[in-house]
């Protein structure tokens, strides 16, 4: 099954992606993770991406689409995959239509008022990518899942978060309509716990088997 996870920054796409990936054995493809890895390794793509990610803006479609096309052509995607954070513009969705058949778009819908706090308080494991909220860590600095060190993403600060949310509204939210018209969207409310959201997603995925 080829799945897209859609939702605003902080909606819980990464958390659900890791749960779905474990339960359904699908490779988790996060364009944000790919860019962060390239930035860490100071590759040419990383150097270019950094100037956009630092400001909370989108990396140009041409660059992003090329990366995704290459990733989807790999062997591990032959039996399905889960895209997290791609597509983020109509142009990216149209480019994806040319190279892939998407079975389901899971749209995680969260009240905007919750997102700023979720993102600014987020801590992420540098090894496995698991997310936590600082208010529930009680000073813990290691990942409960793998023991990796927790850190705060550079773009999880109030100013950059605001710009990411603005970008989402202007450029990514129109994709909800795009995929609704294609009849492949599944909307799930993401205001509750990750476990509750996953249960609803799993019911949908199991029904599609
Ligand atoms: P994320 O980890 O999904 O929040 O992505 C972090 C940053 O990477 C975003 O704010 C963008 O700068 C960049 N990025 C990730 N995915 C895309 C995409 N599909 N198109 C353009 N830029 C992206």
């Amino acid at each position: 099954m080829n799945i897209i996870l859609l939702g605003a920054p902080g909606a819980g796409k990464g958390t659900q992606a890791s749960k779905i990936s474990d339960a359904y054995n699908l490779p988790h493809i996060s364009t944000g993770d790919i860019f962060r890895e390239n930035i860490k390794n100071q590759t040419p793509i990383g150097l270019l991406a950094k100037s956009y990610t630092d400001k909370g803006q989108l990396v140009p479609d041409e660059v992003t689409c090329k990366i995704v096309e290459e990733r989807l052509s790999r062997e591990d995607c032959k039996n399905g995959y889960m895209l997290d954070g791609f597509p983020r513009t109509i142009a990216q969705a149209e480019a994806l239509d040319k190279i892939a058949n998407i079975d389901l778009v899971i749209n995680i819908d969260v009240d905007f008022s919750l997102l700023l706090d979720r993102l600014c308080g987020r801590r992420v494991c540098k090894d496995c990518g698991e997310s936590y909220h600082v208010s529930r860590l009680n000073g813990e600095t290691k990942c409960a899942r793998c023991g990796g060190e927790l850190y705060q993403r550079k773009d999880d600060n109030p100013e950059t978060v605001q710009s990411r949310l603005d970008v989402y509204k202007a450029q990514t939210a129109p994709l909800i309509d795009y995929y609704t018209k294609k009849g492949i969207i599944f909307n799930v409310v993401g205001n509750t716990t990750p476990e509750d959201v996953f249960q609803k997603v799993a019911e949908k995925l199991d029904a599609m088997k």
Side-chain angles (χ1 to χ4, degrees):
M1 204 162 5
N2 301 333
I3 302 173
I4 292 172
L5 273 167
L6 198 62
K13 296 189 297 296
T15 302
Q16 293 305 317
S18 113
K19 287 180 182 296
I20 298 168
S21 173
D22 288 351
Y24 295 88
N25 200 21
L26 290 170
H28 170 194
I29 300 167
S30 153
T31 40
D33 284 349
I34 295 173
F35 287 132
R36 278 184 289 281
E37 190 63 20
N38 276 277
I39 291 168
K40 194 170 94 191
N41 295 328
Q42 300 189 341
T43 68
I45 286 172
L47 293 176
L48 176 116
K50 190 172 170 8
S51 58
Y52 295 94
T53 58
D54 276 356
K55 287 185 250 158
Q57 292 169 0
L58 296 183
V59 178
D61 288 337
E62 213 182 274
V63 179
T64 310
C65 291
K66 217 181 257 176
I67 286 174
V68 171
E69 185 168 359
E70 187 283 320
R71 181 64 189 87
L72 295 187
S73 71
R74 291 196 209 161
E75 191 58 33
D76 66 338
C77 291
K78 291 277 181 291
N79 295 320
Y81 48 79
M82 191 180 32
L83 284 164
D84 160 13
F86 182 93
R88 259 172 153 104
T89 64
I90 296 283
Q92 291 180 9
E94 288 171 348
L96 184 64
D97 282 344
K98 294 199 180 113
I99 58 163
N101 279 319
I102 300 301
D103 301 294
L104 185 69
V105 179
I106 300 167
N107 176 42
I108 310 178
D109 187 20
V110 173
D111 283 345
F112 255 69
S113 59
L114 299 177
L115 297 175
L116 195 71
D117 172 65
R118 274 198 187 183
L119 288 163
C120 294
R122 177 162 71 177
R123 299 294 180 271
V124 184
C125 173
K126 77 170 179 28
D127 293 336
C128 75
E130 188 80 355
S131 288
Y132 299 86
H133 193 274
V134 73
S135 64
R136 286 187 288 277
L137 279 170
N138 295 322
E140 184 56 74
T141 58
K142 302 271 190 248
C143 174
R145 193 176 177 217
C146 76
E149 202 176 312
L150 303 182
Y151 79 108
Q152 181 169 30
R153 268 171 53 170
K154 198 165 177 235
D155 57 352
D156 280 346
N157 65 77
E159 197 187 327
T160 314
V161 163
Q162 193 52 57
S163 132
R164 288 160 65 202
L165 294 176
D166 292 344
V167 165
Y168 168 79
K169 277 189 200 159
Q171 293 184 260
T172 309
L175 290 176
I176 298 173
D177 213 32
Y178 183 87
Y179 287 116
T180 301
K181 284 191 183 130
K182 285 184 184 283
I184 55 169
I185 204 154
F186 173 65
N187 292 297
V188 60
V189 175
N191 293 347
T192 55
T193 63
E195 291 71 27
D196 182 53
V197 175
F198 178 66
Q199 195 188 330
K200 294 190 176 105
V201 169
E203 275 166 22
K204 174 70 183 174
L205 292 176
D206 290 344
M208 285 178 73
K209 267 186 190 164

